[in-house]
Amino acid sequence: MEPVDIVLTKDTFEVLASETRLNILKALSPRRMTVTELADSLDLAKSTVHHHLQRLADAGLVAADDGGHAWVYYALTPEGRGLLQPHDGARIRVLLTAGLASLAGGVCAVAAFLTAPARDGALPPLPGGGGIPVPEGPPVELLVVGIALAVIGGVLVAYACARRRNRRAVGGFPADRKAT
């Protein structure tokens, strides 16, 4: 299943502003449920749950399905599922991008430290006296920041790769697997 683009409008934000509706969405995340099941699990009146389900259905986040049964089951729509469980591939891409950027920044900072010209002596004083004291050699802070960025970048890249490998070993992203 492809990730769903979710358009958040003012009305959607108003629907999501209710803690009860958010709890209903979370309760529907693992499986579809009836009004009675939701009312029991959330310790709410059936009429309250039904009212909130109507608001969620109007926003396109849940859908009702009787499927020829005596009970009406409510389930998350792709938009509702995408709201609760953003596509994990996007998270991995963000982690990988941040890690590579941090790693590149760290390498550049270390390279700048290593290639900075070393000063043999102090600069001559400015005419009229005064001036800012200039340290000899490249600043050590550049080396520290470079190493820190490189380590953080390496950890983020390794974590992103491990998540990607785990997702592939399990059989894809959760939205890609068929529910039984």
Side-chain angles (χ1 to χ4, degrees), residues 32-35 37 50 54 62-75:
R32 65 188 189 134
M33 299 173 89
T34 65
V35 172
E37 289 174 317
H50 186 267
Q54 286 303 121
V62 299
D65 178 31
D66 65 359
H69 301 288
W71 297 279
V72 176
Y73 284 90
Y74 289 87

Side-chain angles (χ1 to χ4, degrees), residues 4-169:
V4 177
D5 289 333
I6 302 168
V7 178
L8 296 175
T9 63
K10 179 184 172 213
D11 295 332
T12 308
F13 279 113
E14 287 176 5
V15 168
L16 295 173
S18 166
E19 187 174 343
T20 302
R21 287 190 280 272
L22 290 175
N23 289 336
I24 290 172
L25 289 173
K26 291 174 190 174
L28 289 173
S29 182
R31 66 180 183 91
R32 65 188 189 134
M33 299 173 89
T34 65
V35 172
T36 304
E37 289 174 317
L38 283 167
D40 290 344
S41 70
L42 298 173
D43 198 28
L44 295 169
K46 288 186 213 178
S47 60
T48 302
V49 171
H50 186 267
H51 167 76
H52 287 293
L53 283 169
Q54 286 303 121
R55 295 285 314 268
L56 289 166
D58 291 343
L61 300 175
V62 299
D65 178 31
D66 65 359
H69 301 288
W71 297 279
V72 176
Y73 284 90
Y74 289 87
L76 295 175
T77 62
E79 291 81 9
R81 189 161 303 285
L83 193 65
L84 287 179
Q85 303 165 350
H87 188 57
D88 202 36
R91 290 181 186 159
I92 291 173
R93 284 191 295 275
V94 168
L95 281 172
L96 192 56
T97 303
L100 290 173
S102 178
L103 189 60
V107 168
C108 289
V110 170
F113 174 80
L114 294 175
T115 59
R119 295 191 181 102
D120 290 332
L123 293 176
L126 295 173
I132 301 173
V134 178
E136 295 184 19
V140 176
E141 293 84 8
L142 191 60
L143 178 63
V144 172
V145 168
I147 291 172
L149 282 174
V151 167
I152 291 169
V155 168
L156 286 174
V157 168
Y159 180 67
C161 290
R163 278 188 69 130
R164 185 171 188 221
R165 188 174 31 251
N166 288 343
R167 287 292 176 197
R168 286 192 175 179

